[in-house]
Amino acid sequence: MQMLIEKAVQGDVESFLELMNINSLAMYKVARAILSNDDDAADAIQNTILNCFQKLHTLKKLEFFKTWLTRILINECNRILRHHQKEHLPGELPEAMKQDPAIAEFEFKEMLNLIDEKYRLVLVFYYLEGFKIPEIAEFLEMNENTVKTRLARAREQIRTAYLEK
């Protein structure tokens, strides 16, 4: 992977496309955790790929490529959210997420419906993407203790919801 990143930074388009292909599922999961539908997620991913291609030369440490890519994606998703702010009420689960059983993590998505919106992205990063708490804190620009607290509260909300069923 490191060699692929090096080639991409040096301008090898094929290596860049391979990197995007390798990270496409992870980008989709992150975008869908933030955005309300597949169209917005696709737009965010497309804009992220374009931004990454244009700014790849600014990547300082190659080992942080995935972190860098994810941060660009989160910023793009947030831009789209701001654009659609009037269309979605805060705390409302996006309709498309409720109705899309084709995603492999169907049970995880059901679980996400049980918790507050501010905990969803932390859970996706931690459990689906396998990021560590310091990385999540960096992505979301928050304190590590805040990430730990959100994980704990999300787990408690899930536990409570399942006990009520």
Side-chain angles (χ1 to χ4, degrees), residues 15-146:
S15 296
F16 178 79
L17 292 175
E18 181 66 22
L19 279 172
M20 293 302 108
N21 190 38
I22 290 169
N23 289 289
S24 63
L25 182 58
M27 287 192 295
Y28 176 76
K29 289 177 185 177
V30 170
R32 279 307 306 244
I34 299 171
L35 298 171
S36 62
N37 63 52
D38 282 333
D39 291 336
D40 285 343
D43 288 345
I45 292 168
Q46 183 178 5
N47 290 339
T48 298
I49 291 171
L50 180 60
N51 285 335
C52 286
F53 185 74
Q54 292 172 340
K55 297 177 183 177
L56 192 57
H57 66 281
T58 66
L59 179 62
K60 291 180 175 83
K61 294 187 177 184
L62 302 182
E63 62 269 19
F64 295 124
F65 173 78
K66 189 166 182 177
T67 303
W68 178 77
L69 173 70
T70 305
R71 183 73 248 165
I72 292 172
L73 178 60
I74 290 170
N75 289 340
E76 186 59 35
C77 289
N78 288 336
R79 186 193 64 74
I80 290 171
L81 282 176
R82 284 190 302 273
H83 179 72
H84 293 305
Q85 193 170 15
K86 293 180 182 178
E87 296 175 22
H88 300 288
L89 298 174
E92 178 183 349
L93 184 63
E95 197 62 33
M97 230 174 138
K98 294 178 190 172
Q99 298 174 348
D100 187 13
I103 297 176
E105 295 86 13
F106 181 75
E107 286 183 4
F108 189 79
K109 284 175 58 182
E110 277 187 352
M111 181 184 64
L112 288 177
N113 290 338
L114 302 174
I115 62 171
D116 292 340
E117 184 176 347
K118 67 181 179 181
Y119 304 131
R120 288 184 197 137
L121 191 56
V122 173
L123 285 178
V124 168
F125 279 141
Y126 191 77
Y127 288 109
L128 287 181
E129 297 304 315
F131 286 110
K132 294 177 177 27
I133 289 172
E135 294 170 317
I136 298 169
E138 182 181 336
F139 291 153
L140 301 178
E141 298 173 345
M142 62 178 60
N143 186 295
E144 287 182 31
N145 288 330
T146 304

